[in-house]
Amino acid sequence: MTTLGVNIDHIANVRQARKTIEPDPVQFAFLAELGGADSITVHLREDRRHIQDRDVFLLKETIKTRLNLEMAATKEMLEIAKKLLPDYVTIVPEKREEVTTEGGLDVKSNVNHLKNFVKNLEDSNIEVSAFIDPVSEQINYSKEIGFKFIELHTGKYAELTGQDQYEELQRIIESTHLASDLGLVINAGHGLNYNNVKKIAAINNINELNIGHSIVARALAVGLEKSVREMKSLITSN
Ligand code: PXP
């Protein structure tokens, strides 16, 4: 069954808007777990715009599910990950000027660097995933590099409508066939919400969906525990 990873970066965004101590993403991770989150995802950005180092170390101590650390493939982040020892790391591309992660990681252009990076993390018993676009070349290179997990970028699917969205959905489905034939574990995420999630959750072989913005936005109306529970029920009721 597809599991739900809840990204709590946006709780930290509200805190950082005032650079104060509330709301605390660590407390909200607890509520996400009560609502049925199977893992907690945080993106520790180079510019620390939302999640802080203190958050990731406290989450590692306090959550009862699994910690997914999203990070760029930099030396600084490698050192933090090896100290933190999250359950898994998702490597994402990172640009300072972007509002959120824009495209997938270009694994093809970084083969040697990523090979060493993945090995280094795996030697510390951390599972490593690559956040990539649903493109066969990127999937094949992810396998060659040694990733055992990939996260397919659903941002384009989420932005498109009508026939264009249908075609992007087909690209995601074909990507899952290829990745599954290669023996990769397939996660997916970005831009998923209460309206568009069901078609992605219905795809065979999707291990986990990582969802943040829509769940936190809905939490403002109904509370985080309930917004997570509603999303979990959408993705498990196929
Ligand atoms: N997966 C990855 C790799 C991401 O970078 C993000 C955004 O931080 C998400 C999933 C969640 O995206 P959203 O907040 O749009 O649900």
Side-chain angles (χ1 to χ4, degrees), residues 5-7 9-10 41-43 45 50 68 70 90-93 100-103 130-132 151-155 158 188-193 209-215:
V6 176
N7 180 313
D9 292 350
H10 292 291
T41 301
V42 282
H43 184 174
R45 281 182 168 267
H50 38 54
N68 172 21
E70 283 180 13
T90 303
I91 301 181
V92 297
T100 181
T101 313
E102 279 166 1
F131 182 55
I132 55 170
E151 179 175 332
L152 294 173
H153 196 322
T154 52
H190 213 284
L192 297 177
N193 61 38
L209 296 178
N210 274 311
I211 308 179
H213 187 265
S214 64
I215 291 177

mmCIF file of all heavy atoms in Angstrom, residues 5-7 9-10 41-43 45 50 68 70 90-93 100-103 130-132 151-155 158 188-193 209-215, ligand 1:
data_model
loop_
_atom_site.group_PDB
_atom_site.id
_atom_site.type_symbol
_atom_site.label_atom_id
_atom_site.label_comp_id
_atom_site.label_asym_id
_atom_site.label_seq_id
_atom_site.Cartn_x
_atom_site.Cartn_y
_atom_site.Cartn_z
ATOM 1 N N GLY A 5 4.232 10.429 3.195
ATOM 2 C CA GLY A 5 5.264 11.223 3.864
ATOM 3 C C GLY A 5 4.763 12.655 3.946
ATOM 4 O O GLY A 5 4.365 13.232 2.926
ATOM 5 N N VAL A 6 4.733 13.208 5.141
ATOM 6 C CA VAL A 6 4.230 14.579 5.297
ATOM 7 C C VAL A 6 5.403 15.545 5.441
ATOM 8 O O VAL A 6 6.240 15.401 6.341
ATOM 9 C CB VAL A 6 3.269 14.687 6.506
ATOM 10 C CG1 VAL A 6 2.835 16.139 6.724
ATOM 11 C CG2 VAL A 6 2.040 13.802 6.287
ATOM 12 N N ASN A 7 5.432 16.502 4.518
ATOM 13 C CA ASN A 7 6.492 17.513 4.540
ATOM 14 C C ASN A 7 6.031 18.696 5.397
ATOM 15 O O ASN A 7 4.993 19.304 5.113
ATOM 16 C CB ASN A 7 6.766 17.959 3.086
ATOM 17 C CG ASN A 7 7.850 19.015 3.005
ATOM 18 O OD1 ASN A 7 7.827 19.977 3.770
ATOM 19 N ND2 ASN A 7 8.778 18.856 2.094
ATOM 20 N N ASP A 9 7.826 21.525 6.125
ATOM 21 C CA ASP A 9 8.604 22.762 5.914
ATOM 22 C C ASP A 9 7.758 24.023 6.119
ATOM 23 O O ASP A 9 8.252 25.040 6.613
ATOM 24 C CB ASP A 9 9.148 22.830 4.477
ATOM 25 C CG ASP A 9 10.200 21.778 4.191
ATOM 26 O OD1 ASP A 9 10.658 21.113 5.136
ATOM 27 O OD2 ASP A 9 10.545 21.616 3.004
ATOM 28 N N HIS A 10 6.486 23.932 5.709
ATOM 29 C CA HIS A 10 5.679 25.164 5.753
ATOM 30 C C HIS A 10 5.275 25.564 7.166
ATOM 31 O O HIS A 10 4.936 26.724 7.408
ATOM 32 C CB HIS A 10 4.465 25.041 4.833
ATOM 33 C CG HIS A 10 4.890 25.014 3.393
ATOM 34 N ND1 HIS A 10 5.427 26.115 2.767
ATOM 35 C CD2 HIS A 10 4.925 24.009 2.487
ATOM 36 C CE1 HIS A 10 5.754 25.788 1.524
ATOM 37 N NE2 HIS A 10 5.459 24.523 1.333
ATOM 38 N N THR A 41 8.932 14.465 6.448
ATOM 39 C CA THR A 41 9.931 14.976 5.508
ATOM 40 C C THR A 41 10.257 16.432 5.825
ATOM 41 O O THR A 41 9.346 17.237 6.064
ATOM 42 C CB THR A 41 9.386 14.897 4.059
ATOM 43 O OG1 THR A 41 9.082 13.544 3.763
ATOM 44 C CG2 THR A 41 10.378 15.421 3.053
ATOM 45 N N VAL A 42 11.551 16.744 5.803
ATOM 46 C CA VAL A 42 11.974 18.143 5.964
ATOM 47 C C VAL A 42 13.098 18.425 4.977
ATOM 48 O O VAL A 42 13.928 17.564 4.709
ATOM 49 C CB VAL A 42 12.479 18.453 7.402
ATOM 50 C CG1 VAL A 42 11.322 18.620 8.360
ATOM 51 C CG2 VAL A 42 13.440 17.397 7.925
ATOM 52 N N HIS A 43 13.092 19.617 4.440
ATOM 53 C CA HIS A 43 14.146 20.027 3.509
ATOM 54 C C HIS A 43 15.032 21.036 4.224
ATOM 55 O O HIS A 43 14.599 22.159 4.511
ATOM 56 C CB HIS A 43 13.492 20.654 2.265
ATOM 57 C CG HIS A 43 14.457 21.038 1.191
ATOM 58 N ND1 HIS A 43 14.047 21.506 -0.039
ATOM 59 C CD2 HIS A 43 15.808 21.026 1.136
ATOM 60 C CE1 HIS A 43 15.106 21.756 -0.795
ATOM 61 N NE2 HIS A 43 16.182 21.488 -0.092
ATOM 62 N N ARG A 45 17.522 23.508 3.807
ATOM 63 C CA ARG A 45 18.109 24.254 2.694
ATOM 64 C C ARG A 45 19.398 24.951 3.117
ATOM 65 O O ARG A 45 19.551 25.326 4.284
ATOM 66 C CB ARG A 45 17.119 25.322 2.208
ATOM 67 C CG ARG A 45 16.034 24.768 1.319
ATOM 68 C CD ARG A 45 15.130 25.874 0.832
ATOM 69 N NE ARG A 45 14.272 25.396 -0.230
ATOM 70 C CZ ARG A 45 14.558 25.484 -1.526
ATOM 71 N NH1 ARG A 45 15.673 26.060 -1.932
ATOM 72 N NH2 ARG A 45 13.732 25.002 -2.414
ATOM 73 N N HIS A 50 13.573 27.847 6.068
ATOM 74 C CA HIS A 50 12.472 27.364 6.913
ATOM 75 C C HIS A 50 12.990 26.382 7.978
ATOM 76 O O HIS A 50 13.109 26.747 9.134
ATOM 77 C CB HIS A 50 11.294 26.800 6.096
ATOM 78 C CG HIS A 50 11.635 26.007 4.867
ATOM 79 N ND1 HIS A 50 12.477 24.927 4.885
ATOM 80 C CD2 HIS A 50 11.215 26.142 3.587
ATOM 81 C CE1 HIS A 50 12.553 24.427 3.667
ATOM 82 N NE2 HIS A 50 11.820 25.145 2.847
ATOM 83 N N ASN A 68 12.721 11.600 6.673
ATOM 84 C CA ASN A 68 13.242 11.772 5.316
ATOM 85 C C ASN A 68 13.860 13.160 5.223
ATOM 86 O O ASN A 68 13.157 14.163 5.296
ATOM 87 C CB ASN A 68 12.078 11.630 4.315
ATOM 88 C CG ASN A 68 12.477 11.974 2.888
ATOM 89 O OD1 ASN A 68 13.643 11.958 2.526
ATOM 90 N ND2 ASN A 68 11.491 12.290 2.066
ATOM 91 N N GLU A 70 15.398 15.893 3.035
ATOM 92 C CA GLU A 70 15.652 16.368 1.670
ATOM 93 C C GLU A 70 16.825 17.330 1.743
ATOM 94 O O GLU A 70 16.860 18.214 2.603
ATOM 95 C CB GLU A 70 14.451 17.155 1.143
ATOM 96 C CG GLU A 70 13.304 16.322 0.718
ATOM 97 C CD GLU A 70 12.159 17.195 0.205
ATOM 98 O OE1 GLU A 70 12.358 18.397 -0.040
ATOM 99 O OE2 GLU A 70 11.063 16.666 0.084
ATOM 100 N N THR A 90 16.632 12.302 0.607
ATOM 101 C CA THR A 90 16.224 12.514 -0.784
ATOM 102 C C THR A 90 17.057 13.667 -1.325
ATOM 103 O O THR A 90 17.019 14.779 -0.786
ATOM 104 C CB THR A 90 14.721 12.851 -0.882
ATOM 105 O OG1 THR A 90 13.982 11.785 -0.284
ATOM 106 C CG2 THR A 90 14.287 13.003 -2.335
ATOM 107 N N ILE A 91 17.823 13.359 -2.355
ATOM 108 C CA ILE A 91 18.685 14.402 -2.917
ATOM 109 C C ILE A 91 17.895 15.213 -3.927
ATOM 110 O O ILE A 91 17.288 14.672 -4.858
ATOM 111 C CB ILE A 91 19.948 13.791 -3.551
ATOM 112 C CG1 ILE A 91 20.714 13.017 -2.478
ATOM 113 C CG2 ILE A 91 20.821 14.884 -4.151
ATOM 114 C CD1 ILE A 91 21.977 12.376 -2.951
ATOM 115 N N VAL A 92 17.884 16.518 -3.702
ATOM 116 C CA VAL A 92 17.125 17.434 -4.558
ATOM 117 C C VAL A 92 18.076 18.494 -5.110
ATOM 118 O O VAL A 92 19.094 18.793 -4.503
ATOM 119 C CB VAL A 92 15.978 18.124 -3.765
ATOM 120 C CG1 VAL A 92 14.967 17.106 -3.261
ATOM 121 C CG2 VAL A 92 16.513 18.947 -2.600
ATOM 122 N N PRO A 93 17.721 19.074 -6.268
ATOM 123 C CA PRO A 93 18.509 20.210 -6.749
ATOM 124 C C PRO A 93 18.109 21.419 -5.928
ATOM 125 O O PRO A 93 17.014 21.451 -5.382
ATOM 126 C CB PRO A 93 18.053 20.353 -8.202
ATOM 127 C CG PRO A 93 16.676 19.820 -8.207
ATOM 128 C CD PRO A 93 16.590 18.768 -7.143
ATOM 129 N N THR A 100 10.296 27.178 -4.449
ATOM 130 C CA THR A 100 10.307 25.781 -4.032
ATOM 131 C C THR A 100 11.119 25.009 -5.066
ATOM 132 O O THR A 100 11.524 25.584 -6.075
ATOM 133 C CB THR A 100 8.855 25.220 -3.923
ATOM 134 O OG1 THR A 100 8.911 23.858 -3.486
ATOM 135 C CG2 THR A 100 8.113 25.284 -5.251
ATOM 136 N N THR A 101 11.380 23.721 -4.786
ATOM 137 C CA THR A 101 12.204 22.943 -5.711
ATOM 138 C C THR A 101 11.527 22.942 -7.079
ATOM 139 O O THR A 101 10.369 22.536 -7.202
ATOM 140 C CB THR A 101 12.339 21.496 -5.197
ATOM 141 O OG1 THR A 101 12.662 21.553 -3.810
ATOM 142 C CG2 THR A 101 13.425 20.753 -5.939
ATOM 143 N N GLU A 102 12.246 23.405 -8.106
ATOM 144 C CA GLU A 102 11.576 23.614 -9.392
ATOM 145 C C GLU A 102 11.580 22.383 -10.289
ATOM 146 O O GLU A 102 10.540 21.894 -10.684
ATOM 147 C CB GLU A 102 12.198 24.812 -10.105
ATOM 148 C CG GLU A 102 11.630 26.113 -9.549
ATOM 149 C CD GLU A 102 12.424 27.333 -9.956
ATOM 150 O OE1 GLU A 102 13.416 27.196 -10.699
ATOM 151 O OE2 GLU A 102 12.059 28.423 -9.503
ATOM 152 N N GLY A 103 12.743 21.876 -10.609
ATOM 153 C CA GLY A 103 12.780 20.699 -11.491
ATOM 154 C C GLY A 103 13.426 19.552 -10.753
ATOM 155 O O GLY A 103 13.846 19.689 -9.607
ATOM 156 N N ALA A 130 16.691 9.774 -5.259
ATOM 157 C CA ALA A 130 16.938 10.920 -6.143
ATOM 158 C C ALA A 130 15.608 11.485 -6.598
ATOM 159 O O ALA A 130 14.753 10.744 -7.083
ATOM 160 C CB ALA A 130 17.732 10.470 -7.364
ATOM 161 N N PHE A 131 15.445 12.780 -6.428
ATOM 162 C CA PHE A 131 14.214 13.450 -6.872
ATOM 163 C C PHE A 131 14.405 13.833 -8.336
ATOM 164 O O PHE A 131 15.181 14.739 -8.656
ATOM 165 C CB PHE A 131 13.999 14.694 -6.009
ATOM 166 C CG PHE A 131 12.752 15.466 -6.319
ATOM 167 C CD1 PHE A 131 11.515 14.861 -6.313
ATOM 168 C CD2 PHE A 131 12.801 16.835 -6.602
ATOM 169 C CE1 PHE A 131 10.350 15.578 -6.577
ATOM 170 C CE2 PHE A 131 11.650 17.568 -6.861
ATOM 171 C CZ PHE A 131 10.428 16.929 -6.855
ATOM 172 N N ILE A 132 13.733 13.107 -9.223
ATOM 173 C CA ILE A 132 13.986 13.300 -10.657
ATOM 174 C C ILE A 132 12.678 13.492 -11.431
ATOM 175 O O ILE A 132 11.611 13.070 -10.999
ATOM 176 C CB ILE A 132 14.754 12.094 -11.275
ATOM 177 C CG1 ILE A 132 14.003 10.780 -10.997
ATOM 178 C CG2 ILE A 132 16.182 12.032 -10.784
ATOM 179 C CD1 ILE A 132 14.554 9.588 -11.759
ATOM 180 N N GLU A 151 12.399 9.507 -6.398
ATOM 181 C CA GLU A 151 11.115 10.186 -6.178
ATOM 182 C C GLU A 151 10.772 10.906 -7.481
ATOM 183 O O GLU A 151 11.515 11.783 -7.938
ATOM 184 C CB GLU A 151 11.202 11.192 -5.022
ATOM 185 C CG GLU A 151 9.864 11.908 -4.812
ATOM 186 C CD GLU A 151 9.837 12.832 -3.605
ATOM 187 O OE1 GLU A 151 10.581 12.598 -2.620
ATOM 188 O OE2 GLU A 151 9.060 13.806 -3.637
ATOM 189 N N LEU A 152 9.671 10.505 -8.096
ATOM 190 C CA LEU A 152 9.267 11.124 -9.364
ATOM 191 C C LEU A 152 8.591 12.462 -9.104
ATOM 192 O O LEU A 152 7.697 12.567 -8.253
ATOM 193 C CB LEU A 152 8.327 10.195 -10.133
ATOM 194 C CG LEU A 152 8.956 8.892 -10.636
ATOM 195 C CD1 LEU A 152 7.883 7.982 -11.234
ATOM 196 C CD2 LEU A 152 10.066 9.158 -11.656
ATOM 197 N N HIS A 153 9.030 13.470 -9.826
ATOM 198 C CA HIS A 153 8.532 14.835 -9.671
ATOM 199 C C HIS A 153 7.142 14.935 -10.308
ATOM 200 O O HIS A 153 6.990 14.776 -11.510
ATOM 201 C CB HIS A 153 9.507 15.767 -10.388
ATOM 202 C CG HIS A 153 9.376 17.203 -10.039
ATOM 203 N ND1 HIS A 153 8.163 17.815 -9.811
ATOM 204 C CD2 HIS A 153 10.315 18.166 -9.884
ATOM 205 C CE1 HIS A 153 8.370 19.089 -9.527
ATOM 206 N NE2 HIS A 153 9.664 19.325 -9.562
ATOM 207 N N THR A 154 6.142 15.224 -9.481
ATOM 208 C CA THR A 154 4.768 15.326 -9.994
ATOM 209 C C THR A 154 4.335 16.784 -10.175
ATOM 210 O O THR A 154 3.160 17.062 -10.408
ATOM 211 C CB THR A 154 3.781 14.609 -9.047
ATOM 212 O OG1 THR A 154 3.997 15.096 -7.712
ATOM 213 C CG2 THR A 154 3.955 13.112 -9.072
ATOM 214 N N GLY A 155 5.290 17.713 -10.061
ATOM 215 C CA GLY A 155 4.950 19.138 -10.136
ATOM 216 C C GLY A 155 4.293 19.533 -11.446
ATOM 217 O O GLY A 155 3.337 20.322 -11.467
ATOM 218 N N ALA A 158 0.796 18.353 -11.632
ATOM 219 C CA ALA A 158 -0.074 19.154 -10.763
ATOM 220 C C ALA A 158 -0.441 20.483 -11.404
ATOM 221 O O ALA A 158 -1.534 21.008 -11.182
ATOM 222 C CB ALA A 158 0.623 19.382 -9.421
ATOM 223 N N ALA A 188 6.919 9.469 -5.025
ATOM 224 C CA ALA A 188 6.528 10.573 -5.911
ATOM 225 C C ALA A 188 6.066 11.744 -5.065
ATOM 226 O O ALA A 188 5.677 11.574 -3.907
ATOM 227 C CB ALA A 188 5.401 10.124 -6.854
ATOM 228 N N GLY A 189 6.120 12.921 -5.641
ATOM 229 C CA GLY A 189 5.633 14.076 -4.905
ATOM 230 C C GLY A 189 5.918 15.389 -5.586
ATOM 231 O O GLY A 189 6.660 15.458 -6.563
ATOM 232 N N HIS A 190 5.317 16.404 -5.038
ATOM 233 C CA HIS A 190 5.389 17.819 -5.413
ATOM 234 C C HIS A 190 4.081 18.255 -6.061
ATOM 235 O O HIS A 190 3.670 17.700 -7.064
ATOM 236 C CB HIS A 190 6.562 18.155 -6.336
ATOM 237 C CG HIS A 190 7.088 19.544 -6.062
ATOM 238 N ND1 HIS A 190 6.431 20.673 -6.484
ATOM 239 C CD2 HIS A 190 8.163 19.969 -5.357
ATOM 240 C CE1 HIS A 190 7.102 21.730 -6.065
ATOM 241 N NE2 HIS A 190 8.149 21.339 -5.376
ATOM 242 N N GLY A 191 3.454 19.219 -5.428
ATOM 243 C CA GLY A 191 2.235 19.814 -5.979
ATOM 244 C C GLY A 191 0.988 18.954 -5.813
ATOM 245 O O GLY A 191 -0.067 19.299 -6.343
ATOM 246 N N LEU A 192 1.090 17.856 -5.092
ATOM 247 C CA LEU A 192 -0.086 16.987 -4.945
ATOM 248 C C LEU A 192 -1.044 17.597 -3.928
ATOM 249 O O LEU A 192 -0.629 18.150 -2.908
ATOM 250 C CB LEU A 192 0.323 15.575 -4.521
ATOM 251 C CG LEU A 192 1.203 14.849 -5.557
ATOM 252 C CD1 LEU A 192 1.637 13.484 -5.043
ATOM 253 C CD2 LEU A 192 0.462 14.704 -6.894
ATOM 254 N N ASN A 193 -2.340 17.494 -4.228
ATOM 255 C CA ASN A 193 -3.346 18.068 -3.330
ATOM 256 C C ASN A 193 -4.582 17.171 -3.276
ATOM 257 O O ASN A 193 -4.603 16.095 -3.879
ATOM 258 C CB ASN A 193 -3.694 19.512 -3.738
ATOM 259 C CG ASN A 193 -4.274 19.587 -5.129
ATOM 260 O OD1 ASN A 193 -5.042 18.715 -5.544
ATOM 261 N ND2 ASN A 193 -3.904 20.624 -5.875
ATOM 262 N N LEU A 209 4.085 8.713 -1.203
ATOM 263 C CA LEU A 209 3.848 10.056 -1.738
ATOM 264 C C LEU A 209 4.297 11.066 -0.689
ATOM 265 O O LEU A 209 3.947 10.949 0.485
ATOM 266 C CB LEU A 209 2.357 10.255 -2.062
ATOM 267 C CG LEU A 209 1.804 9.348 -3.157
ATOM 268 C CD1 LEU A 209 0.310 9.606 -3.364
ATOM 269 C CD2 LEU A 209 2.561 9.558 -4.472
ATOM 270 N N ASN A 210 5.067 12.044 -1.123
ATOM 271 C CA ASN A 210 5.508 13.106 -0.220
ATOM 272 C C ASN A 210 4.721 14.367 -0.497
ATOM 273 O O ASN A 210 4.781 14.913 -1.595
ATOM 274 C CB ASN A 210 7.005 13.379 -0.424
ATOM 275 C CG ASN A 210 7.833 12.447 0.420
ATOM 276 O OD1 ASN A 210 7.566 12.313 1.617
ATOM 277 N ND2 ASN A 210 8.797 11.793 -0.171
ATOM 278 N N ILE A 211 3.987 14.812 0.513
ATOM 279 C CA ILE A 211 3.063 15.932 0.316
ATOM 280 C C ILE A 211 3.217 16.941 1.453
ATOM 281 O O ILE A 211 3.259 16.558 2.627
ATOM 282 C CB ILE A 211 1.602 15.421 0.241
ATOM 283 C CG1 ILE A 211 1.491 14.285 -0.794
ATOM 284 C CG2 ILE A 211 0.640 16.569 -0.095
ATOM 285 C CD1 ILE A 211 0.108 13.683 -0.944
ATOM 286 N N GLY A 212 3.321 18.216 1.085
ATOM 287 C CA GLY A 212 3.519 19.233 2.115
ATOM 288 C C GLY A 212 2.522 20.368 2.054
ATOM 289 O O GLY A 212 1.650 20.515 2.914
ATOM 290 N N HIS A 213 2.620 21.182 1.011
ATOM 291 C CA HIS A 213 1.908 22.454 0.986
ATOM 292 C C HIS A 213 0.394 22.304 1.156
ATOM 293 O O HIS A 213 -0.221 23.000 1.968
ATOM 294 C CB HIS A 213 2.232 23.204 -0.319
ATOM 295 C CG HIS A 213 1.674 24.586 -0.342
ATOM 296 N ND1 HIS A 213 0.473 24.884 -0.923
ATOM 297 C CD2 HIS A 213 2.129 25.738 0.200
ATOM 298 C CE1 HIS A 213 0.222 26.166 -0.763
ATOM 299 N NE2 HIS A 213 1.216 26.714 -0.091
ATOM 300 N N SER A 214 -0.198 21.374 0.406
ATOM 301 C CA SER A 214 -1.668 21.274 0.474
ATOM 302 C C SER A 214 -2.133 20.798 1.845
ATOM 303 O O SER A 214 -3.171 21.241 2.347
ATOM 304 C CB SER A 214 -2.197 20.335 -0.627
ATOM 305 O OG SER A 214 -1.723 19.024 -0.430
ATOM 306 N N ILE A 215 -1.357 19.934 2.477
ATOM 307 C CA ILE A 215 -1.751 19.424 3.805
ATOM 308 C C ILE A 215 -1.644 20.524 4.851
ATOM 309 O O ILE A 215 -2.540 20.699 5.691
ATOM 310 C CB ILE A 215 -0.880 18.203 4.204
ATOM 311 C CG1 ILE A 215 -1.213 17.007 3.310
ATOM 312 C CG2 ILE A 215 -1.057 17.858 5.677
ATOM 313 C CD1 ILE A 215 -0.351 15.767 3.572
HETATM 314 N N1 PXP B 1 9.067 16.154 -2.716
HETATM 315 C C1 PXP B 1 10.125 16.982 -2.840
HETATM 316 C C2 PXP B 1 11.429 16.395 -3.289
HETATM 317 C C3 PXP B 1 10.021 18.348 -2.540
HETATM 318 O O1 PXP B 1 11.094 19.152 -2.671
HETATM 319 C C4 PXP B 1 8.794 18.847 -2.066
HETATM 320 C C5 PXP B 1 8.659 20.283 -1.696
HETATM 321 O O2 PXP B 1 9.482 20.586 -0.638
HETATM 322 C C6 PXP B 1 7.720 17.950 -1.937
HETATM 323 C C7 PXP B 1 7.873 16.619 -2.284
HETATM 324 C C8 PXP B 1 6.380 18.386 -1.430
HETATM 325 O O3 PXP B 1 5.818 19.278 -2.341
HETATM 326 P P1 PXP B 1 4.491 20.057 -1.938
HETATM 327 O O4 PXP B 1 4.856 20.962 -0.795
HETATM 328 O O5 PXP B 1 4.137 20.802 -3.187
HETATM 329 O O6 PXP B 1 3.479 19.031 -1.547
#
